[in-house]
Amino acid sequence: MSDSKAKFHQKIENCLCPPGDGVFTVNTAKERKAALREKLYGQTENVEPLWKASLNTLGDSEHKAAILGISSDCGGGILRGANWGPLFLRSTLLTEQPQVSAFDLGDVRVIPHLLHDKYLNEGTISNCQKALYQDENSEYHVSPLSITEDVCDGFYAHYPEKGIFGIGGDHSISYPLTKAYLKAKREQGKRTAIIHFDAHTDLLVERLGIDLCFGSWCTHILEFLPAPHHLIQFGIRSSGKSKQHWESTFGVKQHWANEIREQGADVIVEQVIKQLKEDKVDELYVSFDIDALDEEFAAATGTPESGGMTPDEAMKILTALSKEFPITGADMMEIAPFTDSSLAGQSSSETTLREGAKLSAFLIDAMNKG
């Protein structure tokens, strides 16, 4: 192993933690964490050495898709709780989609009060480095967005043939995931597009003075795309402004939920494939906010919305796209298993996780074929 790669592996051992451990708790969801550990490692205690040993097999893994959990939720919705998405979605994938597998990098070590290092003063960074790394002069970042981008940059530099499947967390997490992906693909000479499923545009410039957040991440990755219209959005329906406003202001391409319902998913995706081929796009990244689906199918999320896409419509679009273009990066965001906006209780969470797992399994499988 080269010195550079060895340094990267040292970084991920420090900045990440075993799968499912991204939410720092003592007793909450203890049984859930233990169940995931048992499935992944065959034991519930002392899994860290096993996880670290597994990281050394990354280069030899047959899987092109590598899972990375980012358990950060800085308020992506009316109800919080998407920080539990990585733990619960992994468990659901193992239980309900056992045919799909990927390399698991683990979770980003998250201090839940933080977002990005640029918002912190030196004293706070030093205190957080001491807490995370037992070294107040550590070279490592401390905020989830900063850690994620740094880890992803190293991942693509050393394993360019592989891709990351990110599990969030609120949708701000897609900023570092897509930024690292787009930078790496540009270096490789690849033309890319972001396929974004969401009820919301996420095209704010800032929210309450914060430029990088769940409502603005799309705006800030546009500069890394070959062209703004290489951001293609599906399922939009909750917006204070019109489709014309967003497309004319930012140059993106949108297909709102009512259009998909009225015209049919097949017709819409044919238009998108035509556009992507005309733009000579080589590879796709899919960012999926679970609230793109109608609240009937995705109520366990921060901001569920009626009038959304059905899982079948989403799967039709993804299937058609994957037949024409390699999907080499993806994420699943905003699954909040403990929320209950539908008043349906546990069934609400189970339905959301089931549909999220189906879509995630498809994306992971597509990435492995990549």
Side-chain angles (χ1 to χ4, degrees):
M1 184 181 293
S2 67
D3 289 344
S4 175
K5 186 173 287 188
K7 189 174 182 181
F8 169 67
H9 276 258
Q10 184 179 27
K11 177 183 292 184
I12 59 177
E13 284 187 9
N14 281 279
C15 295
L16 306 184
C17 58
D21 284 0
V23 181
F24 180 77
T25 61
V26 178
N27 290 311
T28 305
K30 185 176 181 179
E31 294 78 10
R32 295 268 188 174
K33 290 184 178 182
L36 180 61
R37 289 172 173 174
E38 182 68 38
K39 289 175 182 176
L40 291 174
Y41 301 108
Q43 60 192 62
T44 60
E45 303 294 334
N46 300 314
V47 301
E48 187 153 333
L50 299 176
W51 165 69
K52 287 184 176 180
S54 74
L55 294 177
N56 292 324
T57 68
L58 174 57
D60 298 324
S61 172
E62 63 179 318
H63 304 302
K64 291 184 178 180
I67 293 173
L68 178 65
I70 309 96
S71 303
S72 176
D73 185 3
C74 288
I78 299 169
L79 300 174
R80 293 196 182 189
N83 55 324
W84 290 105
L87 170 62
F88 280 67
L89 184 57
R90 275 190 181 94
S91 296
T92 307
L93 280 167
L94 289 168
T95 302
E96 300 191 10
Q97 303 290 333
Q99 78 285 359
V100 175
S101 58
F103 188 91
D104 203 320
L105 288 167
D107 286 357
V108 169
R109 299 182 69 191
V110 172
I111 297 177
H113 328 296
L114 307 184
L115 185 59
H116 194 285
D117 281 9
K118 73 176 186 174
Y119 302 127
L120 306 177
N121 60 37
E122 291 182 8
T124 300
I125 290 175
S126 180
N127 285 341
C128 292
Q129 287 171 331
K130 185 176 180 180
L132 284 182
Y133 313 118
Q134 293 73 56
D135 179 2
E136 61 188 17
N137 297 308
S138 171
E139 62 180 334
Y140 303 131
H141 297 290
V142 297
S143 303
L145 268 62
S146 303
I147 294 173
T148 301
E149 183 175 347
D150 191 29
V151 166
C152 291
D153 281 343
F155 176 90
Y156 288 118
H158 294 291
Y159 301 100
E161 76 285 358
K162 296 181 182 293
I164 288 177
F165 180 79
I167 306 176
D170 75 54
H171 219 151
S172 66
I173 299 302
S174 289
Y175 172 75
L177 289 170
T178 55
K179 182 180 175 182
Y181 171 89
L182 293 171
K183 289 188 298 182
K185 294 302 177 181
R186 186 165 58 189
E187 285 290 318
Q188 296 170 20
K190 303 286 188 181
R191 290 178 63 82
T192 51
I194 303 291
I195 306 299
H196 173 211
F197 289 83
D198 207 320
H200 315 93
T201 67
D202 293 356
L203 283 168
L204 299 176
V205 175
E206 62 177 33
R207 188 175 190 270
L208 298 174
I210 302 298
D211 59 341
L212 299 179
C213 68
F214 62 87
S216 64
W217 72 272
C218 282
T219 308
H220 299 291
I221 58 94
L222 291 178
E223 64 178 294
F224 301 100
L225 283 162
H229 63 272
H230 286 214
L231 174 65
I232 303 174
Q233 300 182 312
F234 293 96
I236 306 298
R237 59 195 183 279
S238 179
S239 171
K241 297 182 179 179
S242 68
K243 172 182 174 180
Q244 182 181 12
H245 165 82
W246 298 114
E247 290 191 336
S248 62
T249 301
F250 292 98
V252 303
K253 183 63 180 173
Q254 295 181 339
H255 301 278
W256 285 40
N258 67 299
E259 297 174 307
I260 297 170
R261 188 164 52 251
E262 293 164 5
Q263 299 179 38
D266 294 329
V267 172
I268 295 293
V269 76
E270 282 181 14
Q271 297 172 14
V272 173
I273 289 171
K274 182 175 183 291
Q275 175 197 333
L276 292 170
K277 287 184 174 181
E278 288 176 351
D279 289 339
K280 295 180 171 54
V281 166
D282 299 307
E283 300 180 13
L284 303 179
Y285 183 106
V286 176
S287 182
F288 204 109
D289 185 326
I290 199 66
D291 69 28
L293 301 182
D294 186 84
E295 62 182 356
E296 175 186 352
F297 308 101
T301 187
T303 48
E305 303 281 357
S306 62
M309 299 174 64
T310 68
D312 285 345
E313 288 171 334
M315 195 64 80
K316 274 186 180 181
I317 291 170
L318 289 174
T319 300
L321 289 174
S322 70
K323 288 179 179 177
E324 300 290 341
F325 305 93
I327 296 174
T328 51
D331 62 57
M332 178 60 66
M333 297 290 157
E334 299 285 2
I335 294 178
F338 288 142
T339 64
D340 182 20
S341 59
S342 69
L343 303 180
Q346 185 176 354
S347 65
S348 167
S349 178
E350 291 173 348
T351 299
T352 306
L353 283 164
R354 182 176 63 249
E355 299 302 340
K358 287 179 184 176
L359 292 162
S360 297
F362 179 89
L363 290 169
I364 291 169
D365 185 56
M367 289 175 62
N368 279 331
K369 294 176 181 175

